[in-house]
Amino acid sequence: MKIDVFTLFPDWFDWFLSQRHVRNAVDAGNELRLFNYRDSTPLGGGQVDDAPYGGGAGMVLRVDVVDAALRAAYVDGREPSRVLVLAASGRQLDDVLARELASEPHVALLSGRYEGIDERVRDHLASDAVSIGPYVLSGGELAAMVVADAIMRKLPGALGHADSAVEESFSEALEGAPEYPHYTRPASYRGWNVPEVLLSGDHARVREWRLEESRRRGADGSGED
Ligand code: SAM
């Protein structure tokens, strides 16, 4: 699949693109491309924002600038199947949405900055607005990385162990519940013991225990013990 990120700070993604699972996904034929709104702005002097109508603090990313960036990126007519504007007030990202997005052939992520993006982008240029949580970040770049990461780890070939993304927190395999706890050596440390069942070698009991722990964490609501 293709993920296109529109941003004023493409350099932020250098680190992200260098991460192994992202490189794996790219090596497996997926793409993560970056587009800088400034490279295609129709305004002079690299302008991309303006003061908000009605007054108030901060600047707003202009609709004509975002439209120009999309037109320039998709001049070949190969438009994304979903265009997501990143906004604190959008639909909250969860595993259901991540799965939905991972099944798309081509997704664009529009990062905002400053006070936000002109609402006409959300109304006319985007298919959805997505939030990574009920708090405000300084810009959409980290949100774009979170969304891209949640998608990419679901793509075949991204993870070292393909099964890792099948049975994990909130997956269908665990009926949407948080994952069960994991332990490794030593079996006993400072008197803190690994649950006996995990040392038993009885795969059926281990499986039953794990599903029960997952359900219990889900019922708690917090995912915490
Ligand atoms: N004035 C906006 C508000 O009160 O919701 C906050 C704007 S924020 C400083 C700038 C940009 O960061 C937003 O346009 C959006 O792209 C991104 N952003 C901030 N918080 C986000 C979140 N929780 N999820 C997704 N994107 C977010």
Side-chain angles (χ1 to χ4, degrees):
M1 81 174 285
K2 269 192 198 136
I3 302 178
D4 295 338
V5 180
F6 291 77
T7 171
L8 288 169
F9 300 99
D11 296 357
W12 279 47
F13 293 82
D14 290 350
W15 168 84
F16 183 66
L17 278 161
S18 73
Q19 300 310 302
R20 181 178 289 270
H21 66 292
V22 178
R23 281 191 284 126
N24 287 347
V26 169
D27 290 346
N30 301 289
E31 281 184 71
L32 193 143
R33 307 187 300 177
L34 294 157
F35 297 91
N36 190 337
Y37 297 115
R38 255 187 242 289
D39 292 342
S40 50
T41 178
L43 308 173
Q47 186 188 348
V48 292
D49 57 356
D50 230 315
Y53 280 122
M59 299 292 273
V60 177
L61 200 58
R62 288 175 51 137
V63 62
D64 50 353
V65 168
V66 176
D67 194 26
L70 291 167
R71 283 169 190 269
Y74 307 123
V75 70
D76 59 3
R78 294 190 189 167
E79 299 200 351
S81 44
R82 294 273 281 267
V83 177
L84 311 181
V85 61
L86 295 158
S89 57
R91 170 178 169 189
Q92 209 156 302
L93 180 67
D94 58 12
D95 200 65
V96 173
L97 179 54
R99 259 183 270 147
E100 213 177 289
L101 295 173
S103 69
E104 296 283 350
H106 189 177
V107 170
L109 304 174
L110 307 180
S111 314
R113 272 272 152 184
Y114 320 122
E115 200 50 37
I117 306 184
D118 188 299
E119 192 65 15
R120 288 168 289 183
V121 169
R122 192 162 166 168
D123 292 344
H124 303 289
L125 299 175
S127 52
D128 320 46
V130 172
S131 168
I132 63 159
Y135 42 79
V136 177
L137 303 166
S138 308
E141 287 71 24
L142 290 173
M145 284 185 232
V146 169
V147 174
D149 191 275
I151 295 174
M152 289 183 107
R153 70 193 312 286
K154 294 191 181 298
L155 301 178
L159 301 183
H161 293 281
D163 286 349
S164 303
V166 173
E167 188 171 291
E168 62 181 1
S169 290
F170 319 118
S171 61
E172 281 174 318
L174 295 179
E175 295 169 357
E179 204 190 42
Y180 41 81
H182 295 287
Y183 299 87
T184 187
R185 293 189 183 89
S188 182
Y189 180 70
R190 294 177 58 188
W192 306 327
N193 297 327
V194 170
E196 176 278 328
V197 60
L198 297 178
L199 310 175
S200 68
D202 182 335
H203 297 302
R205 271 184 68 216
V206 168
R207 180 85 196 131
E208 202 179 307
W209 180 86
R210 285 181 165 165
L211 292 178
E212 186 47 42
E213 285 295 305
S214 168
R215 277 193 287 266
R216 191 177 61 76
R217 285 184 158 179
D220 286 353
S222 64
E224 294 296 323
D225 291 321

